[in-house]
Amino acid sequence: MSNEIPIGLAKSGRRAWALDDVAVVPSRRTRSPQDVSLDWQIDAYTFKTPVIGAPMDSVMSPETAIELGRLGGLGVLNLEGLWTRYEDPQPVLEEISRLADDEVSPENTRRLQQLYSEPIKAELIKARLAEIREAGVVVSGSLTPQRTQEFYQTVVEAGVDMFVIRGTTVSAEHVSQNGDPLNLKEFIYELDVPVIVGGAAGYTPALHLMRTGAAGVLVGFGGGSSTTTRRAMGIRVPMATAISDVAAARRDYLDESGGRYVHVIADGGLGSSGDIVKALAMGADAVMLGTTLARAEEAPGRGWHWGQEAVHPDFPRGHRTRVGTVGPLEEVLWGPSHHTDGSSNLMGGLRRAMAATGYSDLKSFQRVDAIVSPLGQQSR
């Protein structure tokens, strides 16, 4: 059955659904939340929770990456961020937190661009990653595709356990008349650590990324509430559909490759525990969290949240967004919660949803029944 909807005489488009449009459905079986496992394994690394801290300066510092690792997740440091540009980024973070409260502000954007014009320093990349390694947690850093060729050797020498290539859109084939393009397949083959790449939001681009040898594919365009990619570039794929499409690519690639499993990681638009539940139900193996972790007291953004898109020197397309704070990182992840909106005890919400629908582990939870109930129709 075709899912195409006529837009006009010359163009049709698929119907797509956001996470707000879907919900999971309880079955005849329920479980005790204590019997539910949230363990997640990618490559040789096992985590107590399927949570990756987004490589955004408002979310992950070396200290918060270490704390997230101790709490059972994976923290990814932005290797193009303030920690690799400034010996002491704290005064810069303090200045960013004191900028005018206006979310849409050319003056704020101009100042952010100025602060991020400080060059990236290879010695700081090594020092920050060494700090995380000394704490005994899994070490991970992120570069955009544009910077990977320039700094990946520095990253490898620093000793990462997992490497992330993250951009608004990342493709397996990048055509360029200026400079040497990044050959993902060759790069991943030569690298001796698992690589997570993205964003991707469709079956075909995700399948091609899987064929490069990536250990995981990020679904979405990153940035969450702090991105304006839809308004600035006209690009958007609702997350429920995007995750399901990429999960289908994972299934087909598993057959094509003779059993190689590539992890699907939802990235962006996950503002509450319920969003995390639905992302995993749509087929994600794990989630990359920005906004939800930016609300932690330890988050370097001090209650503000912004992404790498917001500081682009030529075409900024993100806001510095006020998200506030809800409690310590441990409370945000594991509770106990004092909020009723799903902004804290994220893993408690996930565990209870899995228990209420009768599933005991993350992989089996991907089979949960779901319904489509568009947001505008939910009160009917």
Side-chain angles (χ1 to χ4, degrees):
M1 183 176 63
S2 175
N3 200 29
E4 295 283 327
I5 298 174
I7 297 172
L9 295 177
K11 181 73 72 174
S12 297
R14 289 178 59 205
R15 182 186 295 275
W17 306 103
L19 291 175
D20 280 342
D21 297 325
V22 301
V24 299
V25 181
S27 65
R28 64 180 178 85
R29 179 184 292 114
T30 59
R31 298 180 183 273
S32 168
Q34 288 73 32
D35 295 334
V36 172
S37 170
L38 301 182
D39 289 355
W40 173 57
Q41 180 174 347
I42 179 169
D43 203 81
Y45 303 100
T46 300
F47 302 93
K48 293 192 299 182
T49 173
V51 169
I52 302 175
M56 304 167 80
D57 283 347
S58 55
V59 181
M60 286 286 109
S61 65
E63 293 81 5
T64 52
I66 291 168
E67 181 64 11
L68 180 58
R70 288 172 175 162
L71 292 171
L74 172 65
V76 182
L77 189 67
N78 175 16
L79 300 181
E80 300 174 36
L82 299 175
W83 277 269
T84 60
R85 297 175 188 264
Y86 294 91
E87 186 71 39
D88 180 11
Q90 294 305 327
V92 180
L93 288 163
E94 181 63 30
E95 178 180 347
I96 292 173
S97 73
R98 294 198 310 267
L99 293 174
D101 285 350
D102 299 337
E103 186 172 280
V104 182
S105 167
E107 292 76 17
N108 286 354
T109 298
R110 187 176 296 110
R111 184 55 182 152
L112 284 170
Q113 290 170 317
Q114 291 170 349
L115 292 170
Y116 277 84
S117 67
E118 179 73 16
I120 299 168
K121 301 171 180 63
E123 62 271 20
L124 286 179
I125 291 178
K126 293 180 180 179
R128 304 311 187 198
L129 293 175
E131 182 181 346
I132 298 172
R133 177 166 295 284
E134 288 169 7
V137 300
V138 177
V139 182
S140 182
S142 173
L143 292 171
T144 59
Q146 295 83 0
R147 295 283 193 172
T148 295
Q149 291 278 41
E150 183 179 359
F151 289 111
Y152 90 89
Q153 194 61 49
T154 299
V155 174
V156 171
E157 291 171 0
V160 292
D161 299 311
M162 201 170 302
F163 186 57
V164 177
I165 301 174
R166 184 180 190 250
T168 302
T169 58
V170 177
S171 61
E173 180 180 359
H174 178 70
V175 180
S176 175
Q177 296 180 354
N178 301 310
D180 296 327
L182 174 63
N183 185 323
L184 268 179
K185 188 170 186 177
E186 182 179 309
F187 172 78
I188 292 174
Y189 179 79
E190 292 178 355
L191 210 59
D192 198 27
V193 299
V195 178
I196 297 171
V197 298
Y203 175 93
T204 300
L207 184 60
H208 283 290
L209 286 177
M210 292 172 186
R211 288 170 177 164
T212 66
V217 171
L218 298 171
V219 184
F221 303 117
S225 65
S226 64
T227 185
T228 55
T229 300
R230 180 183 185 183
R231 288 192 291 275
M233 297 174 63
I235 293 175
R236 177 180 178 258
V237 181
M239 278 295 283
T241 296
I243 295 168
S244 181
D245 286 352
V246 177
R250 176 189 59 204
R251 175 200 63 208
D252 293 347
Y253 179 69
L254 188 69
D255 291 338
E256 174 188 305
S257 63
R260 185 173 181 273
Y261 190 90
V262 179
H263 293 259
V264 173
I265 301 163
D267 177 18
L270 305 171
S272 68
S273 55
D275 292 332
I276 296 170
V277 168
K278 291 184 283 187
L280 296 169
M282 293 302 105
D285 298 287
V287 292
M288 179 170 275
L289 300 182
T291 301
T292 44
L293 299 186
R295 299 187 186 119
E297 291 175 357
E298 301 95 326
R302 295 166 168 80
W304 292 93
H305 184 41
W306 65 93
Q308 200 71 12
E309 303 90 347
V311 301
H312 194 282
D314 301 317
F315 192 56
R317 52 195 182 276
H319 299 316
R320 184 195 62 132
T321 304
R322 181 70 181 173
V323 296
T325 56
V326 298
L329 183 58
E330 183 171 6
E331 181 179 317
V332 171
L333 273 181
W334 295 107
S337 175
H338 308 289
H339 301 81
T340 58
D341 58 359
S343 60
S344 61
N345 197 2
L346 302 174
M347 294 303 98
L350 172 58
R351 181 170 272 144
R352 281 162 176 77
M354 292 172 62
T357 52
Y359 294 92
S360 60
D361 61 79
L362 294 169
K363 192 61 192 170
S364 63
F365 183 62
Q366 294 173 349
R367 302 194 302 266
V368 67
D369 288 337
I371 60 170
V372 176
S373 178
L375 191 60
Q377 300 177 10
Q378 289 179 9
S379 60
R380 299 179 184 177

